[in-house]
Amino acid sequence: MTGGWALRAPCHGRDGFTVTEDDWNTGADLKRLCGPQLPTCGPCPFRAECIATVKPAQAFFDGIAGGRLWCNGIVIDSLDGVHDEELAEPKLRAYCGTEAGAKDHDRHGERRCTACRQAVREMAARRKEAKAKEPGQLQLDFPTT
Ligand code: SF4
Ligand SMILES: [Zn+2]
């Protein structure tokens, strides 16, 4: 977990909120391993931040985040009194070095990074090249008689 709030969360320094790949197979295993820690999230004022950071649905998360027990990104158990508004996950950013990355910079009002600028330049050059090769655009050089 990241962010200054995580240091003040009730789970800080406690184990058992996630699992390693080889110690579980089913949702029942998750309930047995992580379930007992779920009440820790009850008094936590950072449940929404927790979900926004972990992005459990998008990350196919297994374990406890934001007062819910998740299995492959799906809620399989939750505390009473948790609110659906806490479940909003910010969209994952596109990777830098791609056109989508460049668009994400634009959307966030940021300057495009070097890798994204390069990707946009390369794609533009590739498109130009592809267009030049389109049938009908070909300049065939027949010898004149
Ligand atoms: S909601 Fe639960 S897992 Fe998330 S920070 Fe709070 S106590 Fe920790
Ligand atoms: Zn970038």
Side-chain angles (χ1 to χ4, degrees):
M1 219 140 298
T2 52
W5 57 266
L7 300 173
R8 289 176 282 132
C11 63
H12 178 62
R14 296 179 63 164
D15 292 329
F17 287 74
T18 51
V19 281
T20 58
E21 254 174 53
D22 34 341
D23 61 5
W24 70 284
N25 283 309
T26 63
D29 294 335
L30 282 177
K31 282 188 183 173
R32 178 172 49 81
L33 292 163
C34 297
Q37 277 66 254
L38 194 52
T40 310
C41 302
C44 182
F46 307 117
R47 290 200 296 259
E49 286 88 342
C50 182
I51 289 172
T53 304
V54 177
K55 300 185 185 74
Q58 292 176 60
F60 303 105
F61 177 72
D62 306 306
I64 290 177
R68 281 88 169 167
L69 178 59
W70 304 79
C71 178
N72 201 27
I74 292 166
V75 175
I76 58 168
D77 202 2
S78 63
L79 287 173
D80 291 338
V82 289
H83 306 292
D84 281 352
E85 306 90 78
E86 296 165 354
L87 291 169
E89 296 181 18
K91 287 261 179 292
L92 288 178
R93 292 284 299 255
Y95 288 111
C96 277
T98 63
E99 276 192 313
K103 279 184 195 147
D104 254 0
H105 285 306
D106 298 347
R107 256 196 296 275
H108 289 86
E110 302 159 353
R111 187 167 184 268
R112 292 177 176 182
C113 73
T114 313
C116 288
R117 287 204 304 272
Q118 175 76 15
V120 168
R121 265 198 303 272
E122 280 173 11
M123 278 310 290
R126 236 174 277 164
R127 277 197 200 103
K128 207 172 156 193
E129 206 176 292
K131 201 156 184 222
K133 281 185 194 157
E134 267 172 27
Q137 301 280 320
L138 283 179
Q139 299 289 316
L140 294 178
D141 203 9
F142 289 116
T144 45
T145 48

